[in-house]
Short mmCIF file of all heavy atoms in Angstrom, two decimals:
data_model
loop_
_atom_site.label_atom_id
_atom_site.label_comp_id
_atom_site.label_asym_id
_atom_site.label_seq_id
_atom_site.Cartn_x
_atom_site.Cartn_y
_atom_site.Cartn_z
N HIS A 567 -59.50 -77.76 -199.87
CA HIS A 567 -60.11 -77.88 -201.21
C HIS A 567 -61.65 -77.77 -201.11
O HIS A 567 -62.30 -77.54 -202.11
CB HIS A 567 -59.71 -79.21 -201.85
CG HIS A 567 -60.03 -80.40 -201.00
ND1 HIS A 567 -59.26 -80.74 -199.90
CD2 HIS A 567 -61.04 -81.29 -201.04
CE1 HIS A 567 -59.79 -81.81 -199.32
NE2 HIS A 567 -60.87 -82.17 -199.99
N ARG A 568 -62.21 -77.99 -199.90
CA ARG A 568 -63.67 -77.90 -199.72
C ARG A 568 -63.96 -76.58 -199.01
O ARG A 568 -64.53 -76.56 -197.92
CB ARG A 568 -64.13 -79.10 -198.88
CG ARG A 568 -65.60 -79.45 -199.04
CD ARG A 568 -65.95 -80.72 -198.27
NE ARG A 568 -65.24 -81.89 -198.76
CZ ARG A 568 -65.47 -82.49 -199.93
NH1 ARG A 568 -66.42 -82.05 -200.72
NH2 ARG A 568 -64.76 -83.54 -200.32
N GLY A 616 -55.26 -77.14 -202.83
CA GLY A 616 -55.52 -78.38 -203.57
C GLY A 616 -54.70 -79.55 -203.09
O GLY A 616 -54.91 -80.69 -203.48
N ILE A 617 -53.71 -79.27 -202.24
CA ILE A 617 -52.86 -80.34 -201.71
C ILE A 617 -53.42 -80.75 -200.35
O ILE A 617 -53.46 -79.92 -199.43
CB ILE A 617 -51.41 -79.83 -201.47
CG1 ILE A 617 -50.90 -79.02 -202.64
CG2 ILE A 617 -50.50 -80.98 -201.07
CD1 ILE A 617 -50.33 -79.78 -203.77
N VAL A 618 -53.86 -81.98 -200.23
CA VAL A 618 -54.42 -82.42 -198.95
C VAL A 618 -53.36 -82.28 -197.86
O VAL A 618 -52.25 -82.81 -198.00
CB VAL A 618 -54.92 -83.88 -199.05
CG1 VAL A 618 -55.33 -84.40 -197.70
CG2 VAL A 618 -56.08 -83.96 -200.03
N GLY A 646 -59.26 -81.70 -193.40
CA GLY A 646 -60.19 -82.82 -193.29
C GLY A 646 -59.62 -83.98 -192.48
O GLY A 646 -58.44 -83.97 -192.10
N ASP A 647 -60.45 -84.99 -192.26
CA ASP A 647 -59.99 -86.18 -191.55
C ASP A 647 -58.87 -86.87 -192.33
O ASP A 647 -57.89 -87.36 -191.74
CB ASP A 647 -61.16 -87.16 -191.31
CG ASP A 647 -62.06 -87.28 -192.52
OD1 ASP A 647 -62.80 -86.32 -192.79
OD2 ASP A 647 -62.00 -88.31 -193.21
N GLY A 648 -58.99 -86.89 -193.67
CA GLY A 648 -57.95 -87.51 -194.49
C GLY A 648 -56.61 -86.79 -194.30
O GLY A 648 -55.56 -87.43 -194.18
N ALA A 649 -56.65 -85.48 -194.23
CA ALA A 649 -55.42 -84.69 -194.08
C ALA A 649 -54.71 -84.99 -192.77
O ALA A 649 -53.48 -84.84 -192.65
CB ALA A 649 -55.75 -83.20 -194.17
N GLU A 652 -51.71 -87.17 -193.03
CA GLU A 652 -50.55 -86.70 -193.80
C GLU A 652 -49.43 -86.30 -192.84
O GLU A 652 -49.68 -85.83 -191.72
CB GLU A 652 -50.93 -85.45 -194.62
CG GLU A 652 -51.94 -85.69 -195.71
CD GLU A 652 -51.32 -86.31 -196.97
OE1 GLU A 652 -50.08 -86.44 -197.04
OE2 GLU A 652 -52.10 -86.67 -197.86
N ASN A 676 -65.71 -85.19 -191.92
CA ASN A 676 -66.98 -85.45 -192.61
C ASN A 676 -67.13 -86.94 -192.93
O ASN A 676 -67.90 -87.32 -193.80
CB ASN A 676 -67.12 -84.56 -193.85
CG ASN A 676 -66.02 -84.81 -194.87
OD1 ASN A 676 -65.29 -85.80 -194.80
ND2 ASN A 676 -65.88 -83.91 -195.83
N TYR A 678 -65.38 -89.13 -194.43
CA TYR A 678 -64.74 -89.75 -195.60
C TYR A 678 -63.60 -88.89 -196.13
O TYR A 678 -63.68 -87.67 -196.11
CB TYR A 678 -65.76 -89.94 -196.74
CG TYR A 678 -66.81 -90.97 -196.42
CD1 TYR A 678 -68.01 -90.58 -195.83
CD2 TYR A 678 -66.59 -92.32 -196.66
CE1 TYR A 678 -68.98 -91.52 -195.50
CE2 TYR A 678 -67.55 -93.27 -196.34
CZ TYR A 678 -68.75 -92.86 -195.76
OH TYR A 678 -69.68 -93.81 -195.42
N GLY A 679 -62.55 -89.57 -196.64
CA GLY A 679 -61.54 -88.91 -197.45
C GLY A 679 -61.72 -89.52 -198.84
O GLY A 679 -61.48 -90.72 -199.01
N MET A 680 -62.18 -88.80 -199.79
CA MET A 680 -62.65 -89.34 -201.07
C MET A 680 -63.63 -90.47 -200.79
O MET A 680 -64.68 -90.24 -200.21
CB MET A 680 -61.48 -89.78 -201.96
CG MET A 680 -60.73 -88.58 -202.49
SD MET A 680 -59.45 -88.98 -203.68
CE MET A 680 -60.21 -88.55 -205.19
N HIS A 745 -67.71 -86.65 -203.13
CA HIS A 745 -66.41 -86.02 -202.86
C HIS A 745 -66.15 -84.84 -203.79
O HIS A 745 -65.79 -83.76 -203.36
CB HIS A 745 -65.28 -87.05 -203.01
CG HIS A 745 -63.94 -86.40 -203.04
ND1 HIS A 745 -63.37 -85.88 -201.90
CD2 HIS A 745 -63.10 -86.12 -204.07
CE1 HIS A 745 -62.21 -85.31 -202.24
NE2 HIS A 745 -62.03 -85.45 -203.52
C1 TPP B 2205 -51.24 -84.74 -201.12
C2 TPP B 2205 -52.51 -85.14 -201.82
N1 TPP B 2205 -52.84 -86.45 -201.85
C3 TPP B 2205 -53.98 -86.83 -202.48
C4 TPP B 2205 -54.80 -85.90 -203.09
C5 TPP B 2205 -56.11 -86.33 -203.75
N2 TPP B 2205 -57.22 -85.98 -202.85
C6 TPP B 2205 -57.92 -84.85 -203.03
S1 TPP B 2205 -59.07 -84.64 -201.85
C7 TPP B 2205 -58.67 -86.08 -201.08
C8 TPP B 2205 -59.40 -86.53 -199.84
C9 TPP B 2205 -59.20 -85.62 -198.69
O1 TPP B 2205 -59.99 -86.03 -197.61
P1 TPP B 2205 -60.16 -85.11 -196.35
O2 TPP B 2205 -58.85 -84.50 -195.96
O3 TPP B 2205 -60.85 -85.91 -195.32
O4 TPP B 2205 -61.06 -83.91 -196.85
P2 TPP B 2205 -62.56 -83.97 -197.41
O5 TPP B 2205 -62.45 -84.19 -198.90
O6 TPP B 2205 -63.25 -85.09 -196.71
O7 TPP B 2205 -63.14 -82.65 -197.08
C10 TPP B 2205 -57.63 -86.69 -201.75
C11 TPP B 2205 -57.02 -87.98 -201.33
C12 TPP B 2205 -54.39 -84.55 -203.05
N3 TPP B 2205 -55.12 -83.58 -203.61
N4 TPP B 2205 -53.26 -84.19 -202.37
#
Side-chain angles (χ1 to χ4, degrees):
H567 55 284
R568 202 175 297 290
I617 315 276
V618 172
D647 42 288
E652 294 280 354
N676 61 14
Y678 292 92
M680 288 186 103
H745 168 74

